Amino acid sequence: MLLSQQLRDKRYAKVAKRVHDAIRLYSGTELLANVVSRIHRQKERDVDEWRAQPPWLLLLLLKWIILYGSFGPIILRRVTDQEVDKLVNLMHGVDNASNQPKEHDNIRLFMRAIAYQQFLFQDPITLARIARQALLFRDLPSAHPLGTMFLAAKGVTLDDWIELSFMLASGFLSSPRATIRDSYFDGVRKRHSSEVTSAFLSSYSRTLPELRQYLQGVTLHKPQEFRERSPMLAFPLLRRADDLLCFSPQILLKSIEDHIYDTLRAADTERFMKHFGRRFEIYVRGGLQFLCEDFIDEKQLQSTFGSGKVTDFALIRDRSVLLIDAKGVDIGFQGMTTPSATTVVNRTRTSIIKALIQGEECGRRVLKQLGSRELFLLVVTYKQLYFGTGADFVSSIGAQRITQEGYDPTTAALRPENVYFVAIDEFDHLMSALHHDGVALTNFITQTRDLDSDPGSKSYVMKMHLVKRHPTAGFAPMYLQHEFDAMMKRISEAFDVDA
């Protein structure tokens, strides 16, 4: 097994080096400009274009251009579209040398790695995702630990950061442009000092030498490299002499969307999760309240059905019980792309597996008192983990492994096919669509389970079911839209610049 992995590593490194060597023949400046232009020209969900030059492939090529390109004064071979096309063709060869399905413990782990890399680019670009950051992190009580931690890490308050994030995203996403000038934030100097805006922008941008140094520290040329989400997520803007170049609008938006969470989690994971868990639970409660359905929370679960493990919420209906648990977790790059089922278990033991055990124990107590009903569990995570259903999760890691962890799928009252894992973005769209169409959440989950029982109608993630069955699924819920409108109003009052 070790030798086989060594051979795969050598195979990948050899194919990747062909691209690195080819990159060195050209002007790095011209190559970078050509590839960034291609990324910005791509149309959303253009299948033919994505097949020829997928955005994730172009971003890996861009990373290698920064690492190995020639940016000095010596004039090298000039760059044409035809020459870049040749590089793109070489990149497809790198794909063939990356980890393939047979090199994973099972096909679902391979599919998760693909989804993690690629589905990001299929999501619509919308500022509502930044409005979610405002609901989660804005207007915290004075001296709240999350606000204190963020100020210590960034030197900027959370409220200022969220407002500047919205301004930055608006600058690139409200019009098709790849750059903004340094003067872009001049219109808000009275509200945000130059020190604050500089600290903010420096968290998202690096000069070319700085970016190369960063990439050298995080790059490992092994087969899993091809499945990475671009490291440009850390610094989605290139700092140039008098402007900032956006590598990819999708990468910029995702970076902004996750920046607060990632910063706080990196600062002190245990302390962050202790305080964020409560904020996340409140957010999910707000979504359920928007749906206008009766539900009970964990305190009511314990007082009604006895002490023990409980979920955050439950919808009790005549024929079914839907438990809902909010898990504001992230399992990292390795957890998302690993070919090893054992690694998945280790990465999910305190989150996904814990939710299954909580749901099983809580559900048994509820059913013991209420009698026979269908038992369901909806696990809402902060980031998309691409596990789909409980049955998919069990098949990813193996029934024996998860039984050893304390959840036996063969005897559980909570059947694995009755469990769904959804990211917070999916949850928001679910609340919006069901509220608009007047569909009960328990009915939707039951129907989705029935569809997923047939391979012909099964979907990989919940959002795919939403899009197929509810045309309104693409709209943000009103609680996000209201926050979006409030942010736009604040910005219009403080921000008037022609950049």
Side-chain angles (χ1 to χ4, degrees):
M1 179 67 179
L2 181 60
L3 179 61
S4 177
Q5 183 62 57
Q6 289 176 338
L7 289 175
R8 291 202 299 270
D9 290 350
K10 288 182 179 179
R11 177 190 64 186
Y12 179 85
K14 181 179 180 180
V15 176
K17 189 175 184 300
R18 293 176 192 162
V19 185
H20 304 165
D21 291 342
I23 287 171
R24 293 185 175 98
L25 300 176
Y26 302 94
S27 161
T29 302
E30 292 183 9
L31 275 180
L32 188 148
N34 188 291
V35 173
V36 170
S37 176
R38 289 174 183 235
I39 293 171
H40 278 266
R41 290 200 310 265
Q42 287 190 323
K43 297 178 182 178
E44 188 175 320
R45 302 186 184 185
D46 187 325
V47 176
D48 291 335
E49 187 172 5
W50 280 24
R51 185 179 294 113
Q53 47 181 24
W56 50 90
L57 183 147
L58 291 178
L59 283 163
L60 179 58
L61 176 58
L62 182 65
K63 182 182 87 166
W64 287 351
I65 289 169
I66 294 171
L67 280 170
Y68 304 111
S70 301
F71 293 92
I74 300 176
I75 299 177
L76 301 175
R77 188 184 304 179
R78 302 306 297 266
V79 173
T80 65
D81 281 336
Q82 290 73 24
E83 297 295 331
V84 178
D85 288 340
K86 292 178 182 178
L87 287 177
V88 171
N89 288 335
L90 286 177
M91 293 296 294
H92 283 288
V94 179
D95 187 0
N96 295 333
S98 64
N99 283 334
Q100 300 301 306
K102 64 182 179 181
E103 291 152 356
H104 291 68
D105 282 353
N106 57 71
I107 189 63
R108 282 207 61 83
L109 293 181
F110 175 73
M111 293 303 298
R112 282 187 69 241
I114 295 291
Y116 173 72
Q117 176 196 45
Q118 301 179 9
F119 280 18
L120 158 67
F121 299 96
Q122 297 180 26
D123 290 335
I125 296 176
T126 168
L127 292 175
R129 287 153 61 181
I130 302 177
R132 184 183 302 119
Q133 302 305 295
L135 289 178
L136 283 168
F137 297 109
R138 188 179 175 86
D139 296 329
L140 294 175
S142 178
H144 190 283
L146 294 181
T148 303
M149 289 170 63
F150 193 82
L151 182 61
K154 295 294 184 180
V156 180
T157 67
L158 275 170
D159 287 3
D160 284 348
W161 192 276
I162 291 167
E163 191 165 296
L164 290 169
S165 296
F166 200 85
M167 294 177 185
L168 178 63
S170 298
F172 285 106
L173 305 182
S174 60
S175 60
R177 63 169 126 189
T179 63
I180 58 171
R181 301 185 68 83
D182 286 341
S183 59
Y184 181 72
F185 284 101
D186 284 353
V188 292
R189 294 301 185 194
K190 291 183 179 179
R191 188 159 178 161
H192 303 289
S193 68
S194 58
E195 291 79 13
V196 167
T197 56
S198 294
F200 171 78
L201 289 174
S202 68
S203 289
Y204 289 108
S205 64
R206 288 292 184 269
T207 64
L208 191 61
E210 290 170 340
L211 191 54
R212 175 177 283 186
Q213 183 179 16
Y214 166 73
L215 293 175
Q216 287 171 342
V218 300
T219 295
L220 190 64
H221 293 313
K222 291 191 174 183
Q224 59 265 36
E225 179 187 28
F226 197 85
R227 299 295 170 218
E228 70 183 7
R229 277 185 172 174
S230 175
M232 305 304 179
L233 280 164
F235 304 108
L237 302 175
L238 179 64
R239 159 64 66 186
R240 301 192 296 193
D242 57 358
D243 67 12
L244 295 162
L245 172 68
C246 172
F247 294 122
S248 158
Q250 290 94 342
I251 291 295
L252 173 64
L253 181 60
K254 189 62 179 173
S255 178
I256 293 173
E257 181 183 4
D258 291 340
H259 195 94
I260 296 174
Y261 178 98
D262 290 341
T263 297
L264 292 170
R265 195 173 188 275
D268 188 332
T269 302
E270 184 176 353
R271 188 182 179 205
F272 166 63
M273 292 309 300
K274 175 182 177 181
H275 296 286
F276 178 71
R278 178 58 180 160
R279 296 290 302 178
F280 193 64
E281 182 184 328
I282 291 171
Y283 184 94
V284 172
R285 178 190 290 269
L288 293 174
Q289 290 171 335
F290 172 75
L291 200 55
C292 298
E293 289 199 45
D294 293 333
F295 64 91
I296 60 176
D297 59 24
E298 58 182 315
K299 290 184 179 179
Q300 293 168 302
L301 275 167
Q302 287 185 331
S303 64
T304 305
F305 301 104
S307 61
K309 292 184 173 69
V310 293
T311 56
D312 294 316
F313 309 103
L315 280 68
I316 310 294
R317 301 295 181 260
D318 291 339
R319 297 182 180 180
S320 63
V321 174
L322 172 60
L323 305 174
I324 300 176
D325 208 39
K327 298 288 186 189
V329 297
D330 174 30
I331 61 175
F333 171 71
Q334 186 179 12
M336 294 303 301
T337 63
T338 179
S340 165
T342 299
T343 300
V344 172
V345 171
N346 293 336
R347 291 279 178 163
T348 59
R349 182 172 288 115
T350 61
S351 55
I352 298 304
I353 295 176
K354 181 180 178 181
L356 288 171
I357 295 171
Q358 285 177 305
E360 170 67 6
E361 183 174 323
C362 179
R364 281 189 179 274
R365 293 202 314 278
V366 172
L367 296 184
K368 183 178 180 180
Q369 184 168 327
L370 296 180
S372 178
R373 303 186 191 198
E374 279 209 280
L375 182 62
F376 294 88
L377 173 65
L378 183 67
V379 181
V380 185
T381 60
Y382 179 75
K383 293 191 178 182
Q384 177 61 272
L385 304 184
Y386 298 109
F387 284 126
T389 70
D392 296 332
F393 180 69
V394 171
S395 69
S396 295
I397 65 175
Q400 183 177 357
R401 286 189 181 90
I402 197 166
T403 299
Q404 291 171 347
E405 296 296 323
Y407 172 80
D408 185 347
T410 63
T411 62
L414 177 63
R415 305 298 304 151
E417 62 270 19
N418 286 5
V419 178
Y420 280 88
F421 305 103
V422 299
I424 192 60
D425 188 60
E426 282 181 297
F427 175 79
D428 282 336
H429 286 284
L430 178 62
M431 297 300 101
S432 177
L434 299 190
H435 178 270
H436 182 276
D437 296 344
V439 177
L441 179 56
T442 50
N443 290 345
F444 177 85
I445 296 293
T446 302
Q447 293 164 6
T448 301
R449 186 275 315 275
D450 293 342
L451 288 169
D452 280 339
S453 66
D454 180 357
S457 57
K458 180 176 173 56
S459 289
Y460 189 75
V461 291
M462 178 75 77
K463 200 169 185 179
M464 292 179 176
H465 280 293
L466 269 177
V467 171
K468 292 176 185 176
R469 292 152 58 190
H470 295 275
T472 59
F475 300 129
M478 288 306 298
Y479 52 87
L480 282 184
Q481 188 61 49
H482 288 159
E483 185 60 33
F484 173 87
D485 293 341
M487 293 177 73
M488 287 295 291
K489 182 178 180 181
R490 286 194 295 268
I491 290 173
S492 65
E493 291 172 351
F495 191 51
D496 182 16
V497 59
D498 183 16

